[in-house]
Short mmCIF file of all heavy atoms in Angstrom, two decimals:
data_model
loop_
_atom_site.label_atom_id
_atom_site.label_comp_id
_atom_site.label_asym_id
_atom_site.label_seq_id
_atom_site.Cartn_x
_atom_site.Cartn_y
_atom_site.Cartn_z
N LYS A 2 242.54 231.61 170.07
CA LYS A 2 241.54 231.81 171.18
C LYS A 2 242.32 231.78 172.50
O LYS A 2 243.08 230.88 172.84
CB LYS A 2 240.47 230.67 171.25
CG LYS A 2 239.35 230.86 170.14
CD LYS A 2 238.39 229.88 170.44
CE LYS A 2 237.00 230.41 169.91
NZ LYS A 2 235.92 229.59 170.36
N ILE A 12 240.31 225.57 185.26
CA ILE A 12 240.65 226.69 186.15
C ILE A 12 239.92 226.57 187.39
O ILE A 12 238.74 226.63 187.41
CB ILE A 12 240.36 228.01 185.40
CG1 ILE A 12 241.24 228.18 184.14
CG2 ILE A 12 240.77 229.18 186.27
CD1 ILE A 12 240.77 229.35 183.21
N ARG A 16 239.56 232.26 194.86
CA ARG A 16 239.81 232.05 196.23
C ARG A 16 239.89 230.59 196.70
O ARG A 16 239.92 230.36 197.89
CB ARG A 16 238.74 232.82 197.05
CG ARG A 16 238.82 234.31 196.96
CD ARG A 16 237.73 235.10 197.48
NE ARG A 16 236.48 235.08 196.64
CZ ARG A 16 236.34 235.66 195.51
NH1 ARG A 16 237.32 236.39 194.93
NH2 ARG A 16 235.22 235.53 194.83
N SER A 17 239.84 229.73 195.79
CA SER A 17 240.01 228.23 196.17
C SER A 17 241.31 227.82 196.47
O SER A 17 241.52 226.77 197.16
CB SER A 17 239.38 227.35 194.98
OG SER A 17 240.15 227.48 193.92
N PRO A 24 250.51 226.73 195.20
CA PRO A 24 249.44 226.43 194.27
C PRO A 24 250.02 226.10 192.88
O PRO A 24 251.08 226.50 192.44
CB PRO A 24 248.55 227.44 194.24
CG PRO A 24 249.29 228.71 194.69
CD PRO A 24 250.46 228.17 195.61
N VAL A 27 247.71 226.67 186.18
CA VAL A 27 247.00 225.90 185.24
C VAL A 27 247.02 226.40 183.79
O VAL A 27 246.72 225.79 182.82
CB VAL A 27 245.58 225.62 185.63
CG1 VAL A 27 245.59 224.68 186.94
CG2 VAL A 27 244.81 226.85 185.86
N LEU A 28 247.36 227.66 183.71
CA LEU A 28 247.25 228.43 182.43
C LEU A 28 248.45 229.53 182.38
O LEU A 28 248.58 230.21 183.34
CB LEU A 28 245.94 229.01 182.35
CG LEU A 28 245.42 229.84 181.07
CD1 LEU A 28 245.56 229.00 179.77
CD2 LEU A 28 244.07 230.24 181.25
N HIS A 29 248.88 229.62 181.12
CA HIS A 29 250.01 230.68 180.97
C HIS A 29 249.72 231.45 179.69
O HIS A 29 249.52 230.85 178.68
CB HIS A 29 251.30 229.87 180.82
CG HIS A 29 252.49 230.74 180.46
ND1 HIS A 29 253.37 230.43 179.44
CD2 HIS A 29 252.89 231.95 180.92
CE1 HIS A 29 254.39 231.29 179.37
NE2 HIS A 29 254.04 232.28 180.17
N TYR A 30 249.79 232.74 179.86
CA TYR A 30 249.70 233.64 178.68
C TYR A 30 250.97 234.43 178.65
O TYR A 30 251.69 234.62 179.63
CB TYR A 30 248.52 234.75 178.98
CG TYR A 30 247.10 234.08 178.95
CD1 TYR A 30 246.44 233.99 180.15
CD2 TYR A 30 246.60 233.78 177.79
CE1 TYR A 30 245.13 233.48 180.19
CE2 TYR A 30 245.28 233.29 177.84
CZ TYR A 30 244.59 233.16 178.90
OH TYR A 30 243.29 232.70 178.91
N CYS A 34 256.37 238.93 171.74
CA CYS A 34 257.31 239.98 171.33
C CYS A 34 258.35 240.46 172.24
O CYS A 34 259.21 241.25 172.03
CB CYS A 34 256.65 241.19 170.69
SG CYS A 34 255.59 240.86 169.34
N SER A 36 259.04 240.73 176.83
CA SER A 36 258.83 240.27 178.27
C SER A 36 257.30 240.40 178.60
O SER A 36 256.59 241.16 177.99
CB SER A 36 259.62 241.04 179.26
OG SER A 36 259.26 242.37 179.24
N TRP A 39 251.89 235.99 182.16
CA TRP A 39 250.62 235.94 183.06
C TRP A 39 250.37 234.49 183.44
O TRP A 39 250.06 233.70 182.54
CB TRP A 39 249.42 236.59 182.52
CG TRP A 39 249.64 238.03 182.31
CD1 TRP A 39 249.18 239.06 183.03
CD2 TRP A 39 250.25 238.74 181.14
NE1 TRP A 39 249.54 240.24 182.41
CE2 TRP A 39 250.16 240.10 181.32
CE3 TRP A 39 250.99 238.28 179.97
CZ2 TRP A 39 250.73 241.00 180.40
CZ3 TRP A 39 251.45 239.12 179.01
CH2 TRP A 39 251.38 240.46 179.30
N VAL A 41 248.10 231.90 185.44
CA VAL A 41 246.75 231.79 186.14
C VAL A 41 246.74 230.76 187.10
O VAL A 41 247.02 229.55 186.93
CB VAL A 41 245.65 231.52 185.06
CG1 VAL A 41 244.29 231.33 185.71
CG2 VAL A 41 245.63 232.68 184.02
N ASP A 51 233.35 238.34 180.68
CA ASP A 51 234.87 238.51 180.89
C ASP A 51 235.29 237.45 181.84
O ASP A 51 234.42 236.89 182.67
CB ASP A 51 235.21 239.87 181.33
CG ASP A 51 236.70 240.17 181.12
OD1 ASP A 51 237.50 239.44 180.61
OD2 ASP A 51 237.14 241.29 181.57
N PHE A 63 258.00 244.49 187.05
CA PHE A 63 257.63 244.05 188.41
C PHE A 63 257.17 242.61 188.36
O PHE A 63 256.78 242.19 187.29
CB PHE A 63 256.48 244.93 189.04
CG PHE A 63 255.28 244.91 188.20
CD1 PHE A 63 254.29 243.95 188.29
CD2 PHE A 63 255.13 245.86 187.14
CE1 PHE A 63 253.20 243.87 187.46
CE2 PHE A 63 254.02 245.80 186.37
CZ PHE A 63 252.98 244.88 186.45
N GLY A 67 248.41 239.03 191.71
CA GLY A 67 247.41 240.02 191.60
C GLY A 67 246.34 239.63 190.63
O GLY A 67 246.25 238.36 190.08
N PHE A 69 243.81 240.14 187.23
CA PHE A 69 243.84 240.70 185.79
C PHE A 69 242.65 240.03 185.09
O PHE A 69 242.18 238.98 185.58
CB PHE A 69 245.13 240.38 185.05
CG PHE A 69 245.65 239.04 185.08
CD1 PHE A 69 245.37 238.15 184.04
CD2 PHE A 69 246.43 238.49 186.13
CE1 PHE A 69 245.89 236.90 183.90
CE2 PHE A 69 246.92 237.23 186.09
CZ PHE A 69 246.65 236.40 184.97
N THR A 70 242.20 240.59 183.98
CA THR A 70 241.12 240.10 183.25
C THR A 70 241.50 239.67 181.88
O THR A 70 242.52 240.01 181.30
CB THR A 70 239.99 241.07 183.13
OG1 THR A 70 240.44 242.15 182.26
CG2 THR A 70 239.57 241.63 184.45
N SER A 76 243.20 243.21 175.08
CA SER A 76 243.41 244.60 174.59
C SER A 76 244.83 245.00 174.35
O SER A 76 245.03 246.05 173.74
CB SER A 76 242.81 245.59 175.69
OG SER A 76 243.67 245.66 176.82
N PRO A 80 253.39 244.87 168.20
CA PRO A 80 253.83 245.11 166.80
C PRO A 80 253.46 243.96 165.84
O PRO A 80 253.17 242.85 166.34
CB PRO A 80 255.38 245.18 166.90
CG PRO A 80 255.73 245.43 168.34
CD PRO A 80 254.60 244.91 169.15
N PHE A 81 253.30 244.38 164.60
CA PHE A 81 252.92 243.39 163.52
C PHE A 81 251.56 242.77 163.71
O PHE A 81 251.15 241.72 163.12
CB PHE A 81 253.91 242.35 163.40
CG PHE A 81 255.37 242.75 163.42
CD1 PHE A 81 256.16 242.62 164.47
CD2 PHE A 81 255.84 243.45 162.26
CE1 PHE A 81 257.51 243.10 164.40
CE2 PHE A 81 257.09 244.01 162.17
CZ PHE A 81 257.97 243.78 163.33
N ILE A 85 248.66 239.22 172.89
CA ILE A 85 249.04 238.20 173.99
C ILE A 85 248.57 236.82 173.46
O ILE A 85 247.54 236.63 172.91
CB ILE A 85 248.47 238.52 175.22
CG1 ILE A 85 248.90 239.97 175.70
CG2 ILE A 85 248.69 237.49 176.34
CD1 ILE A 85 250.45 240.05 175.79
N ASP A 88 249.78 229.88 175.96
CA ASP A 88 250.81 228.90 175.74
C ASP A 88 250.05 227.52 175.52
O ASP A 88 249.59 226.85 176.54
CB ASP A 88 251.67 228.84 177.08
CG ASP A 88 252.84 227.93 176.93
OD1 ASP A 88 252.91 227.10 175.98
OD2 ASP A 88 253.81 228.03 177.68
N LEU A 89 250.10 227.15 174.33
CA LEU A 89 249.43 225.88 173.90
C LEU A 89 250.12 224.64 174.51
O LEU A 89 249.49 223.49 174.44
CB LEU A 89 249.30 225.75 172.41
CG LEU A 89 248.53 226.91 171.74
CD1 LEU A 89 248.56 226.73 170.23
CD2 LEU A 89 247.07 226.89 172.21
N VAL A 93 251.18 221.91 183.71
CA VAL A 93 250.99 222.42 185.05
C VAL A 93 252.29 222.44 185.83
O VAL A 93 253.15 221.51 185.81
CB VAL A 93 249.91 221.60 185.81
CG1 VAL A 93 249.75 222.14 187.22
CG2 VAL A 93 248.59 221.75 185.06
N LEU A 96 253.67 227.43 191.59
CA LEU A 96 254.15 228.83 191.59
C LEU A 96 255.63 229.02 191.88
O LEU A 96 256.23 229.81 191.18
CB LEU A 96 253.23 229.55 192.67
CG LEU A 96 253.50 231.10 192.95
CD1 LEU A 96 253.27 231.83 191.62
CD2 LEU A 96 252.63 231.60 194.04
N LYS A 100 258.57 231.38 189.77
CA LYS A 100 259.10 232.54 190.41
C LYS A 100 260.55 232.79 190.14
O LYS A 100 261.36 231.80 190.04
CB LYS A 100 258.75 232.58 191.88
CG LYS A 100 257.44 232.95 192.19
CD LYS A 100 257.28 233.10 193.73
CE LYS A 100 256.01 233.81 194.06
NZ LYS A 100 255.85 233.95 195.49
#
Side-chain angles (χ1 to χ4, degrees):
K2 283 189 151 193
I12 301 172
R16 292 169 288 287
S17 65
V27 295
L28 181 57
H29 174 225
Y30 293 105
C34 296
S36 65
W39 294 261
V41 175
D51 196 5
F63 57 88
F69 54 95
T70 68
S76 72
F81 312 110
I85 300 301
D88 188 342
L89 299 177
V93 174
L96 181 58
K100 279 188 168 182

